[in-house]
Amino acid sequence: MGMGRPREFDAEVALDQAMEVFWRHGYEGATIAQLTEAMGINPPSLYACFGNKEGLLKAALDRYSKLRGAWMDVVVAAPTARDVAERMLIGIAEKQTDPANPPGCLLVQGGIACGTGSENVPFELAARRAQNEDQLRDRFVRAKADGDLKPTSDPAALARYVSAVSVGMGVMASSGSDREALRQVATVAVQAVEAQSADRT
Amino acid sequence: MGMGRPREFDAEVALDQAMEVFWRHGYEGATIAQLTEAMGINPPSLYACFGNKEGLLKAALDRYSKLRGAWMDVVVAAPTARDVAERMLIGIAEKQTDPANPPGCLLVQGGIACGTGSENVPFELAARRAQNEDQLRDRFVRAKADGDLKPTSDPAALARYVSAVSVGMGVMASSGSDREALRQVATVAVQAVEAQSADRT
DNA sequence: CCACATCTGTAGTGAACACTACATTTCTGG
DNA sequence: CCAGAAATGTAGTGTTCACTACAGATGTGG
């Protein structure tokens, strides 16, 4: 028995295009017509490959998380908690205003509020954001153990804080803030982490 | 000539209901059917009174800004820049987790990304957020003139920063963070403003 | 080269959407 | 009390949406 006709498009390339549409218009704002056009395929191919619109979003998120995860590894490799925060926030200022991508962050632009029938899309995005926050928290726990952060500091709260600033910067970027404005926010934000850092002696 | 049949519903009460629907589902996620049901009226009454869906959103935003504007006046009345930031961010932590309202902030939940045909909704929301930022900036300019903020500080950057943290907290609230988590973020965030404050002598 | 499995393009499907035509009701000014 | 003005409820309008039936195309295993 044969194995059927082979797929004529590259799923990863198509996913990159879909990712961009979701990024720019959000889950609900993106239509199947826009997605299929951007992906260069017809609806039946999309549904055969990804199940439905939400399946396509999840696949796009997986791809996004994969790319972003590699970068997060670089971020948490910074030598101190302060440097982790700086590398992350300054990096976000630049990534979120990179003209190669839509402005902002897919994990925010994808959809913060959704209509009936898509209620779990915001949850899905929140879960992905939480992964980054967990990674930061683990790094800050280690920083505290190393004596890099003050004994009174709360690594989980710090991670939440950096994550919150990231999200806020993403929204600003998507509504037109330029790179310099975001860098200023990042620079100020880092000072709160600095305030939690042990004095250098 | 007569003045016509009087309206049978209270426009402000109806707006409050509409505001809640937009807040919970976003502009695109909210349907006319949900809105009219929440408002207790039929579509023709809605269109006669507010023009169209976007007109209703703007009216709801006006009402939201009015309520929120009064609170912002209280915020900027705090004695120091640091206290302004604290009053604002701690207040936001509580407001955005107030069970009387949907979680988060209407100016964010309303819609960060929208589909074709509603592109200016995100701009509209951004413009309203910018008003708050401007109010903060003016307050920080004064704080710098008063010697409350360091001569090297940048009031506009500080205002952008506080605004960004507010937005980030809103997104966190809408995705399930509880009041205590938000308070922790606020507490950390205030320390960056503190770092820009002149030493007390 | 044939049976079968899978993909592809065309052309729709029913449902949900924002919005409205229209007849009716309820008011005011004269 | 009557004429005109404006709001209301019913019942739609056309459009767009996510999704799919189907027939033909293109591959593999025997």
Side-chain angles (χ1 to χ4, degrees):
Chain A
M1 324 132 192
M3 287 166 57
R5 179 174 175 177
R7 184 178 292 140
E8 289 186 1
F9 63 96
D10 181 332
E12 291 212 328
V13 171
L15 260 187
D16 283 339
Q17 305 304 319
M19 195 170 79
E20 165 139 355
V21 174
F22 282 132
W23 200 333
R24 202 174 293 281
H25 298 291
Y27 176 74
E28 292 196 303
T31 69
I32 297 291
Q34 287 174 321
L35 289 164
T36 52
E37 187 186 350
M39 298 166 85
I41 61 177
N42 290 308
S45 298
L46 189 159
Y47 284 91
C49 191
F50 302 105
N52 56 20
K53 190 182 177 185
E54 197 167 331
L56 176 60
L57 174 71
K58 286 183 184 172
L61 291 177
D62 283 341
R63 188 154 169 74
Y64 184 79
S65 296
K66 199 170 165 184
L67 300 175
R68 189 177 169 124
W71 176 68
M72 277 299 291
D73 290 341
V74 175
V75 165
V76 297
T80 66
R82 183 213 169 275
D83 289 341
V84 167
E86 182 176 52
R87 195 177 285 188
M88 168 129 177
L89 295 174
I90 295 287
I92 281 182
E94 307 197 342
K95 280 174 133 32
Q96 289 181 342
T97 56
D98 183 346
N101 296 325
C105 169
L106 175 60
L107 302 187
V108 174
Q109 297 296 309
I112 295 304
C114 276
T116 310
S118 309
E119 294 93 346
N120 55 329
V121 167
F123 283 143
E124 185 73 29
L125 297 178
R128 312 262 177 172
R129 293 194 301 268
Q131 288 179 11
N132 294 336
E133 185 182 312
D134 288 346
Q135 206 171 348
L136 272 180
R137 189 203 54 212
D138 291 346
R139 178 63 184 86
F140 288 153
V141 165
R142 181 154 67 83
K144 184 174 177 180
D146 289 349
D148 170 27
L149 286 171
K150 286 181 180 169
T152 56
S153 66
D154 181 344
L158 265 184
R160 253 197 294 273
Y161 162 75
V162 172
S163 185
V165 175
S166 305
V167 169
M169 287 171 66
V171 173
M172 288 179 57
S174 77
S175 55
S177 292
D178 64 12
R179 183 168 289 186
E180 187 50 30
L182 293 187
R183 264 200 282 248
Q184 288 179 352
V185 170
T187 301
V188 174
V190 167
Q191 301 185 13
V193 179
E194 222 165 78
Q196 292 295 328
S197 298
D199 298 332
R200 249 164 257 239
T201 51
Chain B
M1 325 138 191
M3 286 168 57
R5 178 174 175 176
R7 185 177 292 142
E8 288 186 0
F9 64 94
D10 181 332
E12 292 213 326
V13 172
L15 261 187
D16 283 340
Q17 305 305 319
M19 195 170 77
E20 166 139 354
V21 175
F22 282 131
W23 200 333
R24 202 174 293 280
H25 298 291
Y27 175 74
E28 291 195 303
T31 69
I32 297 292
Q34 287 174 322
L35 290 163
T36 52
E37 187 187 349
M39 299 166 85
I41 61 177
N42 290 309
S45 298
L46 189 158
Y47 285 90
C49 191
F50 302 105
N52 56 19
K53 190 181 176 185
E54 197 167 332
L56 176 60
L57 174 71
K58 286 184 183 170
L61 290 177
D62 284 340
R63 190 155 168 73
Y64 184 79
S65 295
K66 198 170 165 185
L67 301 175
R68 190 178 168 123
W71 176 68
M72 277 298 292
D73 289 341
V74 174
V75 165
V76 298
T80 66
R82 182 212 169 277
D83 289 341
V84 167
E86 181 176 53
R87 195 178 284 190
M88 168 129 178
L89 295 174
I90 295 287
I92 282 182
E94 307 196 341
K95 281 172 133 32
Q96 290 181 342
T97 56
D98 182 347
N101 296 325
C105 168
L106 175 59
L107 302 187
V108 175
Q109 298 295 308
I112 295 304
C114 275
T116 310
S118 310
E119 294 94 345
N120 55 330
V121 166
F123 283 142
E124 185 73 28
L125 297 178
R128 313 262 176 172
R129 293 194 301 268
Q131 289 178 11
N132 294 337
E133 186 183 311
D134 288 346
Q135 205 171 348
L136 272 180
R137 189 201 53 211
D138 291 346
R139 179 63 185 85
F140 287 153
V141 165
R142 183 155 66 84
K144 184 174 177 180
D146 289 348
D148 170 26
L149 285 172
K150 287 181 179 168
T152 56
S153 67
D154 181 343
L158 265 184
R160 254 198 293 274
Y161 163 75
V162 172
S163 185
V165 174
S166 305
V167 169
M169 288 170 67
V171 173
M172 288 179 56
S174 76
S175 55
S177 291
D178 65 12
R179 183 168 290 185
E180 187 50 30
L182 293 188
R183 264 200 282 247
Q184 288 180 351
V185 170
T187 302
V188 174
V190 168
Q191 301 186 12
V193 179
E194 224 166 75
Q196 294 293 330
S197 297
D199 299 333
R200 250 164 257 240
T201 52

